């Protein structure tokens, strides 16, 4: 079967890691008809807005692989990444966090999944200046979005044989907004009696996860806490270069790495494509190509175990292309 997939290479190291990922997926024999398109109008330096044609392409193909795109800090155009997720109503952000053999980290046997609400909370973009020197930023939490992310999380846990879900909140202080999130999750949790349900206040959760990550299985979080805790969790297993993510909605899905455009190493052929390759594996799973995904994962692990062709960020010396070549060489024939 040939899959039609939108490819948004992204900016900075995006095109380098996207090209390596594409080569690896194709070498595993997956037949993909890529529709390559820019995520932004104009050049990155122009800080253009989201490309409507890219949104249309993902709507049409229903699946996209995306490289990172830059966002100006404290001013400039709104985030193209957030605009894409919102326009396509990709309400669930899924971030599996697992150790890779040979990648130095503080813990072993970490295997957790963060399920982050992706459309509201403080990312509503509703900010204004009340009077000079005072700004207001609106945190939006709805029963509808909280319930659907909770349902997504519990259904994911059931499908993947996961045993435990922790909801993360700050409802002791934000009694209305996080309170509504928590009440919505509890209602859904009651419908999944086989999955153990627990709650943690976000500050305690941060402490708990760096003290003992193995106590966690699936974490269910509103947008902001999800954003912060998923990078924190990436740090438990070797950092942003080795963690994938998926943005999933009812109609389409977009797979991307957790890291950004890495301007410090862009264009130098030094980027580690592992995170995007692993996001590609989540995409293959979504497309029903489990056996190709398993072969690539095995090849990836072999390259990491051997340790001869890993990239600089994880202590090796290989360039992006050399790493991709090694993964391709390690692929077992079908
Ligand atoms: P970053 O993730 O781009 O870089 C942080 C550090 O990690 C840098 O030292 C970088 O060299 C390193 N790094 C990241 N990915 C790597 C990889 N694949 N291989 C080797 N090293 C890697 O984060 P930063 O600097 O905060 O953001 C840069 C830009 O990326 C910003 O404009 C930000 O808005 C954007 N961004 C975009 C995301 C997306 O498109 N989903 C996600 C995060 C940031």
């Amino acid at each position: 079967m040939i899959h039609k997939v939108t490819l948004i290479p992204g900016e900075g190291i995006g095109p380098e890691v996207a090209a390596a990922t594409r080569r690896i997926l194709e070498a595993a024999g997956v037949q993909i008809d890529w529709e390559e398109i820019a995520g932004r109008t104009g050049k990155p330096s122009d800080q253009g807005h989201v490309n409507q044609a890219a949104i249309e392409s993902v709507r049409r193909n229903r699946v996209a692989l995306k490289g990172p795109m830059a966002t100006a800090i404290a001013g400039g155009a709104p985030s193209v990444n957030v605009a894409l997720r919102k326009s396509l109503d990709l309400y669930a952000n899924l971030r599996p966090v697992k150790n890779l053999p040979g990648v130095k980290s503080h813990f072993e046997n970490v295997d957790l999944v963060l399920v982050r609400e992706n459309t509201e909370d403080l990312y509503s973009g509703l900010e204004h200046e009340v009077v000079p020197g005072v700004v207001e930023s609106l945190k939006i939490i709805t029963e509808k979005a909280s319930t659907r992310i909770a349902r997504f999380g519990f259904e994911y846990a059931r499908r993947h044989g996961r045993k435990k879900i922790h909801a993360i909140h700050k409802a002791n202080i934000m009694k209305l907004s996080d309170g509504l999130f928590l009440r919505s999750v509890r209602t859904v949790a009651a419908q999944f009696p086989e999955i153990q349900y627990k709650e943690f206040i976000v500050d305690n959760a941060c402490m708990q996860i760096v003290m003992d990550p193995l106590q966690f299985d699936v974490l269910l979080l509103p947008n902001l806490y999800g954003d912060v805790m998923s990078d924190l969790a990436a740090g438990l297993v070797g950092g942003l270069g080795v963690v994938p993510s998926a943005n999933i909605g009812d109609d389409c899905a977009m797979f991307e790495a957790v890291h950004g455009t890495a301007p410090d190493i862009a264009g130098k052929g030094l980027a580690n494509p592992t995170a995007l390759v692993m996001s590609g594996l989540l995409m293959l799973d979504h497309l029903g190509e489990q056996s190709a995904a398993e072969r690539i994962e095995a090849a990836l692990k072999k390259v990491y175990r051997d340790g001869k062709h890993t990239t600089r960020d994880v202590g090796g010396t290989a360039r992006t292309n050399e790493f991709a070549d090694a993964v391709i060489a390690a692929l077992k024939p079908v």
Side-chain angles (χ1 to χ4, degrees), residues 85 93-98 112-116 118 226-231 233-234 240 243-247 256-259 282:
R85 291 173 204 150
N93 184 251
L94 189 70
R95 299 193 179 187
V97 175
K98 257 169 128 170
L112 31 106
V113 178
L114 291 97
V115 176
R116 162 187 170 196
N118 223 6
D227 195 2
V228 175
M229 282 199 76
S230 49
D231 276 24
L240 294 172
V243 176
S245 88
N247 296 288
E256 63 179 326
V258 177
H259 62 73
L282 295 178

Side-chain angles (χ1 to χ4, degrees), residues 316-333:
T317 53
R319 301 178 62 78
T320 312
N321 278 339
E322 290 163 349
F323 173 82
D325 290 341
V327 174
I328 290 168
L331 275 172
K332 286 230 168 76

Side-chain angles (χ1 to χ4, degrees), residues 61-329:
N61 298 327
R62 306 181 63 151
V63 181
L65 185 70
K66 173 188 163 293
M69 308 224 286
T71 307
I73 292 175
S79 163
V80 170
N81 304 308
V82 174
L84 274 168
R85 291 173 204 150
K86 273 198 186 168
S87 318
L88 295 161
D89 200 21
L90 303 173
Y91 61 86
N93 184 251
L94 189 70
R95 299 193 179 187
V97 175
K98 257 169 128 170
N99 290 101
L100 266 175
V103 175
K104 217 170 118 205
S105 63
H106 295 291
F107 297 96
E108 280 173 19
N109 304 318
V110 175
D111 182 8
L112 31 106
V113 178
L114 291 97
V115 176
R116 162 187 170 196
E117 203 289 325
N118 223 6
T119 61
E120 54 180 30
D121 196 349
L122 273 162
Y123 293 66
S124 60
L126 298 171
E127 289 191 315
H128 65 272
E129 189 173 56
V130 181
V131 290
V134 182
V135 296
E136 193 171 40
S137 199
L138 299 183
K139 168 165 168 146
I140 308 292
I141 297 285
T142 64
E143 186 177 353
K144 182 178 170 225
S146 303
T147 302
R148 76 177 174 175
I149 193 65
R151 191 167 298 287
F152 179 93
F154 278 89
E155 282 171 357
Y156 176 90
R158 180 178 274 171
R159 256 199 329 278
H160 291 82
R162 298 266 171 179
K163 303 276 179 279
K164 193 166 38 174
I165 291 195
H166 278 92
I168 310 298
H169 67 94
K170 189 79 188 175
N172 51 332
I173 304 297
M174 280 162 275
K175 294 177 193 289
L176 279 185
S177 54
D178 283 17
L180 176 58
F181 174 78
L182 215 48
R183 279 200 306 281
S184 310
V185 178
R186 286 177 188 164
T187 305
V188 174
Q191 296 157 26
F192 293 79
E194 80 278 19
I195 295 167
Q196 203 187 341
Y197 174 65
K198 294 188 165 185
E199 295 167 355
F200 265 133
I201 294 176
V202 62
D203 36 354
N204 182 26
C206 290
M207 193 258 305
Q208 295 286 344
I209 205 168
V210 295
M211 299 273 293
D212 177 18
L214 302 196
Q215 68 181 296
F216 291 97
D217 190 352
V218 176
L219 288 88
L220 191 58
L221 312 102
N223 208 342
L224 178 63
Y225 312 145
D227 195 2
V228 175
M229 282 199 76
S230 49
D231 276 24
L232 193 163
L236 301 172
V237 298
L240 294 172
V242 294
V243 176
S245 88
N247 296 288
I248 299 175
D250 289 333
D251 300 321
C252 42
M254 189 167 75
F255 299 83
E256 63 179 326
V258 177
H259 62 73
T261 56
D264 50 338
I265 55 165
K268 297 181 179 159
L270 298 175
N272 184 353
T274 301
L276 193 62
V277 173
M278 288 172 66
S279 308
L281 299 188
L282 295 178
M283 182 181 87
L284 293 187
D285 194 44
H286 181 82
L287 291 172
E289 296 277 2
Q290 280 80 12
S291 105
E294 280 161 19
R295 283 173 54 239
I296 297 173
E297 190 178 355
L300 205 62
K301 284 185 176 161
K302 183 173 185 310
V303 171
Y304 272 98
R305 247 191 323 272
D306 293 350
K308 290 190 207 119
H309 298 98
T310 52
T311 47
R312 251 187 11 179
D313 56 306
V314 289
T317 53
R319 301 178 62 78
T320 312
N321 278 339
E322 290 163 349
F323 173 82
D325 290 341
V327 174
I328 290 168

